[in-house]
Amino acid sequence: MKRIFCCTFLAILLLTAAALAEVPSLSENMFNYAKGTLNCLASGAYDKIVTSVPFSGVSPSADEWAGFAQGGFTDLAGSTPQTKYAVAYWTGSSWKIAVPVSEPSSGSVETLVLISEDGQSVTGYGCSIWSQVCSEYESSSYVSWNAEYNSSTSAVVEMDQ
């Protein structure tokens, strides 16, 4: 019985170590790329995205970025997006770096998502809503916050003695 337990425990330990080795480290620059992309999308500086965001393949054109901004977001045009809060999480095959357009005070806040398979360069992008992002990062074993959003407000309560 002890032998079976030890073998099972060792197998689980080896599988866990193998899984850890497969997760590429996330470059801190990925948060900057995501925030910069969001700012450029809001201001219409699509050419700047093409030249400043490192894609692992061919970068989308300025026209493709314009189409993405106009078709994927309703709250972005002409606004100043928030860039304080951002989260990155491992999906099992890629990192997703998510930056909500505004303070994520509700699940319906539009969110830019950059995708990176190696943690260093961008392999894809998309638009999501904050509730979907939350659902995905809550089930991830690897989560990194640029600045974690906490929607609760502290209250001071006087205790009777």
Side-chain angles (χ1 to χ4, degrees), residues 132-150:
Q132 179 65 34
V133 168
C134 290
S135 174
E136 291 176 3
Y137 81 68
E138 287 170 354
S139 65
S140 176
S141 298
Y142 304 95
V143 178
S144 178
W145 284 90
N146 176 249
E148 186 170 1
Y149 179 71
N150 184 353

Side-chain angles (χ1 to χ4, degrees), residues 27 45 65 72 84 91 106 112 148 159:
S27 168
W65 281 113
K84 180 178 181 181
T91 65
S106 75
L112 170 69
E148 186 170 1
M159 301 294 289

Side-chain angles (χ1 to χ4, degrees), residues 36-90:
T37 299
L38 188 60
N39 278 324
C40 288
L41 290 172
S43 67
Y46 309 119
D47 287 330
K48 187 173 180 183
I49 302 170
V50 174
T51 59
S52 64
V53 177
F55 270 80
S56 62
V58 176
S59 177
S61 69
D63 289 339
E64 289 172 306
W65 281 113
F68 171 66
Q70 294 160 1
F73 296 94
T74 57
D75 299 335
L76 189 58
S79 69
T80 302
Q82 75 78 34
T83 55
K84 180 178 181 181
Y85 305 109
V87 63
Y89 52 95
W90 180 250

Side-chain angles (χ1 to χ4, degrees), residues 31-32 44 52 54 74 82 87 94-95 109 112 122 128 135 161:
F31 285 113
N32 295 332
S52 64
T74 57
Q82 75 78 34
V87 63
S94 62
W95 283 101
V109 173
L112 170 69
V122 178
S128 188
S135 174
Q161 293 186 20

